[in-house]
């Protein structure tokens, strides 16, 4: 495979199916990366949105099926799996969350399973679903990414939702005054009122950066790890297409080894996102000052 062809292959697999306003004013799908870029902010990554919704529905249907078939007798495989997941998440919440809120455990369960399912799509061979979509649509050059968490728009959307809950519960538990006090009266304080007023801008800058860093770190950590994993699978696929026996054989071994290791990354990233969400919401419920 020529270097240019390999480069084009990689770029094609890293481009989302984008819908937005074309340069001529019409709305439609971008046919090139440049067209997608020119669509600006109001562009929709249809593949990311579609797979996110689809995998979310799978999560809902599986757990609903388990709930409807739940029995106090001999449980089936699905009920056992769901019970293990619920107990695992419930234990994590009890160990980490120190407030009282019935929303936290269901939220944590949803985050863990949904992100895990989205991450799991990275184990599907990189060409299988894109080629299938191209054959169905009749467009051989169709952009089609199947791992939503390799799109920063998806991970940032998840993180901003968590951030909105952090701000909401901070204000609900501590009140507007308490929330603003956390942002302006800490970490530096003084018994002298004049000095304390002078410290407010410094405190606000430090605390505001800390607050904003929470959703950014959540989003970029998940995106960075999954994007790197996807890119490695794509590079291994380039080795398969090299036409050289040695590289193809090496690609088989590397693909298997990376897939096994990537299972740990997939699970770990879902767990980290869930645990940080629980920790941040626990901090939002603390009213110690």
């Amino acid at each position: 495979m020529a270097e240019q062809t390999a480069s084009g292959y990689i770029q094609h697999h890293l481009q989302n199916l984008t819908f937005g306003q074309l340069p001529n004013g019409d709305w439609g799908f971008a046919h090139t990366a440049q067209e997608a870029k020119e669509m600006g902010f109001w562009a929709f990554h249809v593949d990311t949105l579609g797979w996110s919704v689809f995998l979310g529905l799978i999560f809902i249907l599986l757990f609903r099926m388990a709930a409807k078939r739940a029995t106090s007798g001999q449980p089936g495989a699905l009920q056992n799996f769901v019970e293990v997941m619920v107990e695992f998440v419930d234990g994590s919440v009890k160990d980490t969350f120190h407030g009282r809120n019935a929303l936290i455990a269901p939220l944590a369960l949803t985050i863990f399973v949904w992100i895990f399912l989205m991450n799991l799509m990275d184990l599907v061979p990189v060409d299988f679903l894109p080629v299938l979509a191209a054959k169905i649509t009749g467009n051989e050059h169709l952009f089609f990414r199947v791992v939503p968490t390799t799109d920063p728009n998806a991970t940032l959307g998840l993180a901003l939702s968590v951030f909105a809950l952090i701000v909401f519960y901070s204000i609900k538990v501590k009140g507007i005054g308490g929330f603003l006090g956390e942002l302006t009266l800490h970490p530096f304080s003084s018994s002298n009122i004049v000095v304390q007023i002078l410290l407010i801008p410094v405190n606000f800058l430090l605390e505001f950066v800390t607050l904003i860093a929470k959703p950014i770190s959540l989003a970029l950590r998940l995106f960075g790890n999954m994007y790197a994993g996807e890119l490695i699978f794509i590079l291994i696929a380039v080795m398969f297409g090299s036409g050289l026996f040695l590289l193809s054989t090496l690609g088989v071994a590397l693909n298997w080894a990376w897939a096994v290791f990537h299972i740990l990354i997939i699970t770990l990233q879902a767990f980290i996102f869930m645990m940080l969400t629980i920790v941040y919401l626990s901090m939002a419920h603390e009213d110690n000052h």
Side-chain angles (χ1 to χ4, degrees):
M1 182 179 291
E3 182 179 353
Q4 185 177 1
T5 304
S7 176
Y9 175 85
I10 294 171
Q11 291 176 9
H12 184 273
H13 276 69
L14 295 178
Q15 177 63 43
N16 287 94
L17 177 61
T18 308
F19 181 85
Q21 191 171 24
L22 298 168
N24 61 6
D26 296 333
W27 286 78
F29 290 100
H31 301 291
T32 64
Q34 183 61 31
E35 281 189 358
K37 183 178 179 180
E38 291 174 353
M39 287 178 175
F41 180 78
W42 292 110
F44 301 90
H45 289 176
V46 178
D47 42 11
T48 296
L49 292 171
W51 281 110
S52 298
V53 172
F54 176 71
L55 294 170
L57 289 175
I58 288 180
F59 160 61
I60 293 172
L61 292 175
L62 282 177
F63 276 66
R64 182 177 183 272
M65 186 186 303
K68 291 184 67 175
R69 296 180 180 179
T71 175
S72 57
Q74 183 68 27
L78 179 60
Q79 182 178 338
N80 278 329
F81 170 75
V82 170
E83 286 180 351
V84 168
M85 292 298 303
V86 171
E87 289 176 3
F88 166 71
V89 173
D90 187 58
S92 300
V93 172
K94 288 180 179 178
D95 293 338
T96 310
F97 186 77
H98 306 299
R100 299 183 61 182
N101 191 328
L103 174 68
I104 305 303
L107 175 65
L109 178 65
T110 301
I111 287 174
F112 179 75
V113 178
W114 195 20
I115 292 179
F116 175 80
L117 289 175
M118 289 191 285
N119 292 350
L120 192 64
M121 296 300 293
D122 212 7
L123 296 182
V124 178
V126 293
D127 283 322
F128 178 69
L129 290 175
V131 169
L132 180 62
K135 288 183 177 180
I136 292 175
T137 60
N139 180 6
E140 295 182 358
H141 304 287
L142 181 74
F143 297 120
F144 196 69
R145 296 179 72 180
V146 300
V147 188
T149 44
T150 59
D151 185 349
N153 295 283
T155 59
L156 189 59
L158 290 168
L160 288 177
S161 299
V162 172
F163 179 69
L165 289 173
I166 293 172
V167 174
F168 173 77
Y169 283 114
S170 293
I171 295 175
K172 181 179 180 181
V173 173
K174 304 161 189 174
I176 292 288
F179 178 64
L180 293 178
E182 279 193 344
L183 292 178
T184 56
L185 303 180
H186 302 280
F188 304 114
S189 61
S190 173
S191 57
N192 188 310
I193 187 64
V194 176
V195 175
Q196 186 65 62
I197 292 174
L198 294 175
L199 288 173
I200 285 177
V202 178
N203 288 334
F204 178 77
L205 179 62
L206 293 174
E207 292 297 321
F208 184 73
V209 170
T210 302
L211 183 65
I212 295 298
K214 292 176 181 178
I216 295 176
S217 63
L218 278 175
L220 294 185
R221 181 184 292 105
L222 178 58
F223 161 71
N225 282 277
M226 297 312 302
Y227 184 86
E230 179 190 41
L231 186 58
I232 290 175
F233 277 123
I234 293 173
L235 292 174
I236 293 173
V238 171
M239 296 176 64
F240 276 119
S242 65
L244 300 176
F245 176 76
L246 181 60
L247 279 180
S248 298
T249 304
L250 181 60
V252 173
L254 289 176
N255 189 70
W256 180 85
W258 180 247
V260 172
F261 179 71
H262 204 52
I263 293 174
L264 174 63
I265 297 176
I266 285 170
T267 308
L268 186 61
Q269 289 306 311
F271 175 74
I272 290 174
F273 198 104
M274 178 194 73
M275 288 303 300
L276 287 178
T277 298
I278 298 172
V279 170
Y280 292 155
L281 288 174
S282 179
M283 293 169 61
H285 282 74
E286 291 177 357
D287 189 18
N288 299 326
H289 302 288

